[in-house]
Amino acid sequence: MDYTRLFQFDGDRVLVIGAGSGIGREAALALGAHGATVICADRDSTTAEETAAMIGGSATSTVLDVLDPDAVRAAADEYSDIAALVFTAATNVRKRIADYSMEEFDRVVNLNLRGSFSLIQAFAPKMAANGGGSIIGFASIRAFTVEPGQGAYAATKAGLVQLARTAAAEFGPANVRVNVIAPGVVETPLTAQIKNSPEWYNAYAQKGALGRWSKPEELAGAVVYLASKASSYVTGSVLMVDGGWTAIDGRFDPPNA
């Protein structure tokens, strides 16, 4: 085993969906830095192109709306030779259950869960036919720990965890690995509402062991790991990248402890 090659992609093609900003952009940049040929996909063509330009070299961009099943199937046909698929697209409506409209519920479920199902359904068989690959989705700490106002979002993220585990079981014999990353609080556009409230922002920062929020680039290493040869025996797993949020019980330090 040449361990110096564990994180090298040697030109393998990888598709990053949601590459136009935030965690998706940083994941694309990191994969490109390790030698992958990155296809930057996003619903926004301009931001996808910007990410591809930042990577340079053989990186390309494409427009993809994960809510369009025909477009997803077409992308799976076009990129049937990819070694890894990463998808980060998600949305949230922060309201208590009693205040939710069904339109809001459908919006969250359709993007977060239905879109994820559509991607796995389209790409996993292609990877299986091609000898294997790695599929990486993004769940959340909300798949495991919740608070008021997170009902629909938390349900979709818990659903994604079980979807990934099932896909790992179904496609594992064909050497297709399926895993999810569960971030804690990350400074992205999705969390702008919280960031704009100092009290809320600081309360979240103190929930984790590290006492701070994460930056999108701090999720990139987990993506590279799960896409690489270094994780060849990892599937059906949830990789927590939450700064210790789910490991500790708040930030109170008992006296004399």
Side-chain angles (χ1 to χ4, degrees):
M1 169 67 79
D2 181 359
Y3 290 114
T4 66
R5 309 299 299 169
L6 284 180
F7 295 98
Q8 294 301 314
F9 289 84
D10 301 320
D12 287 343
R13 296 219 299 171
V14 300
L15 175 62
V16 180
I17 299 172
S21 64
I23 296 169
R25 170 169 284 179
E26 299 303 327
L29 293 173
L31 289 164
H34 283 80
T37 296
V38 185
I39 304 133
C40 303
D42 201 281
R43 188 168 55 180
D44 185 331
S45 62
T46 300
T47 57
E49 290 169 1
E50 289 172 352
T51 302
M54 293 168 70
I55 298 169
S58 57
T60 58
S61 65
T62 188
V63 176
L64 181 60
D65 182 355
V66 300
L67 295 177
D68 182 344
D70 292 334
V72 169
R73 285 190 291 268
D77 288 337
E78 182 174 358
Y79 305 116
S80 61
D81 63 336
I82 59 172
L85 167 68
V86 182
F87 55 92
T88 67
T91 191
N92 191 9
V93 176
R94 296 175 183 276
K95 287 185 178 180
R96 292 175 181 255
I97 293 170
D99 298 327
Y100 242 80
S101 71
M102 292 312 298
E103 184 277 329
E104 291 167 332
F105 179 85
D106 288 344
R107 189 195 325 159
V108 174
V109 171
N110 284 344
L111 181 57
N112 297 5
L113 191 55
R114 185 176 181 270
S116 299
F117 184 92
S118 179
L119 289 168
I120 293 172
Q121 184 183 56
F123 280 91
K126 300 291 185 181
M127 285 185 170
N130 201 38
S134 175
I135 297 176
I136 304 160
F138 272 80
S140 167
I141 56 170
R142 295 307 176 203
F144 308 98
T145 180
V146 300
E147 66 183 4
Q150 296 278 20
Y153 181 80
T156 62
K157 293 306 184 178
L160 175 56
V161 169
Q162 294 301 81
L163 173 62
R165 287 171 171 163
T166 305
E170 293 181 359
F171 295 99
N175 198 35
V176 177
R177 300 183 295 108
V178 188
N179 296 285
V180 294
I181 296 167
V185 286
V186 189
E187 294 192 356
T188 68
L190 190 62
T191 56
Q193 177 185 0
I194 302 170
K195 288 171 60 180
N196 293 334
S197 169
E199 182 180 7
W200 202 351
Y201 181 93
N202 292 329
Y204 272 21
Q206 294 305 310
K207 285 289 290 184
L210 298 179
R212 63 177 179 84
W213 287 49
S214 68
K215 302 288 187 181
E217 57 265 30
E218 293 183 287
L219 280 298
V223 173
V224 172
Y225 168 67
L226 289 176
S228 74
K229 302 176 187 68
S231 62
S232 59
Y233 201 61
V234 179
T235 194
S237 293
V238 180
L239 178 52
M240 308 299 297
V241 187
D242 65 351
W245 182 302
T246 54
I248 66 173
D249 184 19
R251 295 291 300 176
F252 176 69
D253 292 322
N256 304 319

